[in-house]
Amino acid sequence: MEIDNDALYHIKNAKCVTILTGAGVSAESGVATFRSYKDETKESLWSQYDPQKMASLEGFLENPNRVWQWYQWRRSELKTKEPNDAHKAIAKWQQSNSQSVTLITQNVDGLHQAGGSQNVTELHGNIWGNHCLQCRTEYKEGVDDIEEVIECPECGGQIRPSVVWFGEALPEHAWRDAESASYSCDLFLSVGTSSQVYPAAGLAALAKSQGATVIEINPEPTESSVVDYCVKGIASKFFLESL
Ligand code: NAD
Ligand code: ZN
């Protein structure tokens, strides 16, 4: 893997680092990225559905059980996955205390925490949680093997997964933390994200506007115009070779 020497210099010498991760960081754990959901083979029950429809309020209201079952399927897939070297290297970097390292993720899979990261700002929620669509009360009971949408014990509303769907606002506190970490860092790493889902995709530009260096790590470089250095390759290799 080719990592520009100036980029390496920034990685070693930055005082304050903000990392934004996307689905690509979990790809090496065998978790499908957003794009690969669309490429599912015909054998998959889900090949005929558009994830945008599965991950939207509109889709849920149209057919709550279909959406619930899609999340139950994703959860059952995720149960078999382990954090990979990229998750672990980021956690170790955060713990080393040699530099301040803030981790922001668009992932909902919980693999950063499983890999040892104690502080993770989750912009899009967490797939393991559930709450009521109507009164927003968290639903804490286990939902394994539950195939149909459950009713909220408080109000009778429908229980939904606690992920942020397309068109929904991000959790306020998470967004505030992400903005301030991007505003104040001197190095911003954008890892495994297609940089197409806003507002998360705007964080790199915010960092850059305040003078930070922006490095992207992706086997398929994006068209983002704010990137200073693009490292073409997979996340685990990048962290193993640069830290
Ligand atoms: P995306 O699927 O749009 O893009 C993934 C990016 O990762 C691509 O640019 C791809 O080239 C790159 N990539 C693939 N393998 C990689 C590797 N080994 N190392 C580094 N990069 C690699 O994902 P996104 O930008 O995160 O946006 C998709 C949305 O879907 C997000 O909102 C996210 O919440 C959701 N999502 C989450 C998960 C998850 O939690 N694991 C999975 C799929 C989708
Ligand atoms: Zn309720």
Side-chain angles (χ1 to χ4, degrees), residues 204-217:
L206 176 62
K208 174 111 175 178
S209 73
Q210 297 305 306
T213 302
V214 177
I215 302 180
E216 172 179 273
I217 297 93

PDB file of all heavy atoms in Angstrom, residues 204-217:
ATOM      1  N   ALA A 204     -15.993  16.384   6.736  1.00  0.00           N
ATOM      2  CA  ALA A 204     -14.628  16.555   6.209  1.00  0.00           C
ATOM      3  C   ALA A 204     -14.439  17.990   5.728  1.00  0.00           C
ATOM      4  O   ALA A 204     -13.391  18.601   5.976  1.00  0.00           O
ATOM      5  CB  ALA A 204     -14.374  15.563   5.076  1.00  0.00           C
ATOM      6  N   ALA A 205     -15.444  18.536   5.077  1.00  0.00           N
ATOM      7  CA  ALA A 205     -15.354  19.914   4.576  1.00  0.00           C
ATOM      8  C   ALA A 205     -15.280  20.898   5.736  1.00  0.00           C
ATOM      9  O   ALA A 205     -14.549  21.901   5.673  1.00  0.00           O
ATOM     10  CB  ALA A 205     -16.554  20.230   3.693  1.00  0.00           C
ATOM     11  N   LEU A 206     -16.010  20.601   6.788  1.00  0.00           N
ATOM     12  CA  LEU A 206     -15.968  21.465   7.966  1.00  0.00           C
ATOM     13  C   LEU A 206     -14.553  21.463   8.567  1.00  0.00           C
ATOM     14  O   LEU A 206     -13.993  22.526   8.883  1.00  0.00           O
ATOM     15  CB  LEU A 206     -16.985  20.954   9.006  1.00  0.00           C
ATOM     16  CG  LEU A 206     -17.019  21.686  10.332  1.00  0.00           C
ATOM     17  CD1 LEU A 206     -17.409  23.146  10.140  1.00  0.00           C
ATOM     18  CD2 LEU A 206     -18.005  21.013  11.293  1.00  0.00           C
ATOM     19  N   ALA A 207     -13.974  20.270   8.684  1.00  0.00           N
ATOM     20  CA  ALA A 207     -12.609  20.158   9.223  1.00  0.00           C
ATOM     21  C   ALA A 207     -11.634  20.936   8.342  1.00  0.00           C
ATOM     22  O   ALA A 207     -10.805  21.711   8.827  1.00  0.00           O
ATOM     23  CB  ALA A 207     -12.204  18.684   9.307  1.00  0.00           C
ATOM     24  N   LYS A 208     -11.775  20.731   7.053  1.00  0.00           N
ATOM     25  CA  LYS A 208     -10.864  21.383   6.107  1.00  0.00           C
ATOM     26  C   LYS A 208     -10.979  22.911   6.189  1.00  0.00           C
ATOM     27  O   LYS A 208      -9.979  23.627   6.134  1.00  0.00           O
ATOM     28  CB  LYS A 208     -11.211  20.899   4.704  1.00  0.00           C
ATOM     29  CG  LYS A 208     -10.460  21.578   3.608  1.00  0.00           C
ATOM     30  CD  LYS A 208      -9.498  20.640   2.964  1.00  0.00           C
ATOM     31  CE  LYS A 208      -8.838  21.300   1.785  1.00  0.00           C
ATOM     32  NZ  LYS A 208      -7.876  20.417   1.174  1.00  0.00           N
ATOM     33  N   SER A 209     -12.200  23.392   6.364  1.00  0.00           N
ATOM     34  CA  SER A 209     -12.409  24.846   6.408  1.00  0.00           C
ATOM     35  C   SER A 209     -11.709  25.469   7.616  1.00  0.00           C
ATOM     36  O   SER A 209     -11.432  26.657   7.640  1.00  0.00           O
ATOM     37  CB  SER A 209     -13.910  25.179   6.442  1.00  0.00           C
ATOM     38  OG  SER A 209     -14.429  24.874   7.724  1.00  0.00           O
ATOM     39  N   GLN A 210     -11.422  24.639   8.612  1.00  0.00           N
ATOM     40  CA  GLN A 210     -10.729  25.139   9.798  1.00  0.00           C
ATOM     41  C   GLN A 210      -9.245  24.797   9.761  1.00  0.00           C
ATOM     42  O   GLN A 210      -8.555  24.837  10.766  1.00  0.00           O
ATOM     43  CB  GLN A 210     -11.369  24.550  11.070  1.00  0.00           C
ATOM     44  CG  GLN A 210     -12.816  24.960  11.263  1.00  0.00           C
ATOM     45  CD  GLN A 210     -12.984  26.472  11.258  1.00  0.00           C
ATOM     46  OE1 GLN A 210     -12.328  27.186  12.008  1.00  0.00           O
ATOM     47  NE2 GLN A 210     -13.861  26.979  10.381  1.00  0.00           N
ATOM     48  N   GLY A 211      -8.769  24.382   8.598  1.00  0.00           N
ATOM     49  CA  GLY A 211      -7.327  24.180   8.423  1.00  0.00           C
ATOM     50  C   GLY A 211      -6.833  22.759   8.618  1.00  0.00           C
ATOM     51  O   GLY A 211      -5.628  22.513   8.561  1.00  0.00           O
ATOM     52  N   ALA A 212      -7.736  21.813   8.867  1.00  0.00           N
ATOM     53  CA  ALA A 212      -7.272  20.432   9.067  1.00  0.00           C
ATOM     54  C   ALA A 212      -6.844  19.803   7.742  1.00  0.00           C
ATOM     55  O   ALA A 212      -7.319  20.186   6.671  1.00  0.00           O
ATOM     56  CB  ALA A 212      -8.387  19.590   9.690  1.00  0.00           C
ATOM     57  N   THR A 213      -5.946  18.835   7.860  1.00  0.00           N
ATOM     58  CA  THR A 213      -5.576  18.007   6.707  1.00  0.00           C
ATOM     59  C   THR A 213      -6.597  16.871   6.622  1.00  0.00           C
ATOM     60  O   THR A 213      -6.949  16.279   7.640  1.00  0.00           O
ATOM     61  CB  THR A 213      -4.169  17.410   6.934  1.00  0.00           C
ATOM     62  OG1 THR A 213      -3.259  18.500   7.119  1.00  0.00           O
ATOM     63  CG2 THR A 213      -3.735  16.554   5.763  1.00  0.00           C
ATOM     64  N   VAL A 214      -7.056  16.575   5.415  1.00  0.00           N
ATOM     65  CA  VAL A 214      -8.061  15.511   5.246  1.00  0.00           C
ATOM     66  C   VAL A 214      -7.434  14.345   4.466  1.00  0.00           C
ATOM     67  O   VAL A 214      -6.913  14.529   3.372  1.00  0.00           O
ATOM     68  CB  VAL A 214      -9.309  16.031   4.499  1.00  0.00           C
ATOM     69  CG1 VAL A 214     -10.312  14.894   4.272  1.00  0.00           C
ATOM     70  CG2 VAL A 214      -9.958  17.177   5.271  1.00  0.00           C
ATOM     71  N   ILE A 215      -7.484  13.157   5.080  1.00  0.00           N
ATOM     72  CA  ILE A 215      -6.965  11.953   4.414  1.00  0.00           C
ATOM     73  C   ILE A 215      -8.108  10.963   4.238  1.00  0.00           C
ATOM     74  O   ILE A 215      -8.858  10.698   5.188  1.00  0.00           O
ATOM     75  CB  ILE A 215      -5.831  11.302   5.236  1.00  0.00           C
ATOM     76  CG1 ILE A 215      -4.685  12.307   5.463  1.00  0.00           C
ATOM     77  CG2 ILE A 215      -5.301  10.049   4.532  1.00  0.00           C
ATOM     78  CD1 ILE A 215      -3.506  11.760   6.273  1.00  0.00           C
ATOM     79  N   GLU A 216      -8.226  10.448   3.035  1.00  0.00           N
ATOM     80  CA  GLU A 216      -9.266   9.442   2.767  1.00  0.00           C
ATOM     81  C   GLU A 216      -8.613   8.082   2.587  1.00  0.00           C
ATOM     82  O   GLU A 216      -7.564   7.978   1.939  1.00  0.00           O
ATOM     83  CB  GLU A 216     -10.007   9.831   1.484  1.00  0.00           C
ATOM     84  CG  GLU A 216     -10.978   8.758   1.005  1.00  0.00           C
ATOM     85  CD  GLU A 216     -11.709   9.179  -0.259  1.00  0.00           C
ATOM     86  OE1 GLU A 216     -12.752   9.841  -0.137  1.00  0.00           O
ATOM     87  OE2 GLU A 216     -11.234   8.858  -1.366  1.00  0.00           O
ATOM     88  N   ILE A 217      -9.240   7.047   3.162  1.00  0.00           N
ATOM     89  CA  ILE A 217      -8.748   5.681   2.976  1.00  0.00           C
ATOM     90  C   ILE A 217      -9.891   4.883   2.377  1.00  0.00           C
ATOM     91  O   ILE A 217     -10.947   4.696   2.983  1.00  0.00           O
ATOM     92  CB  ILE A 217      -8.313   5.036   4.319  1.00  0.00           C
ATOM     93  CG1 ILE A 217      -7.140   5.829   4.916  1.00  0.00           C
ATOM     94  CG2 ILE A 217      -7.892   3.581   4.107  1.00  0.00           C
ATOM     95  CD1 ILE A 217      -7.535   6.905   5.882  1.00  0.00           C
TER      96      ILE A 217
END
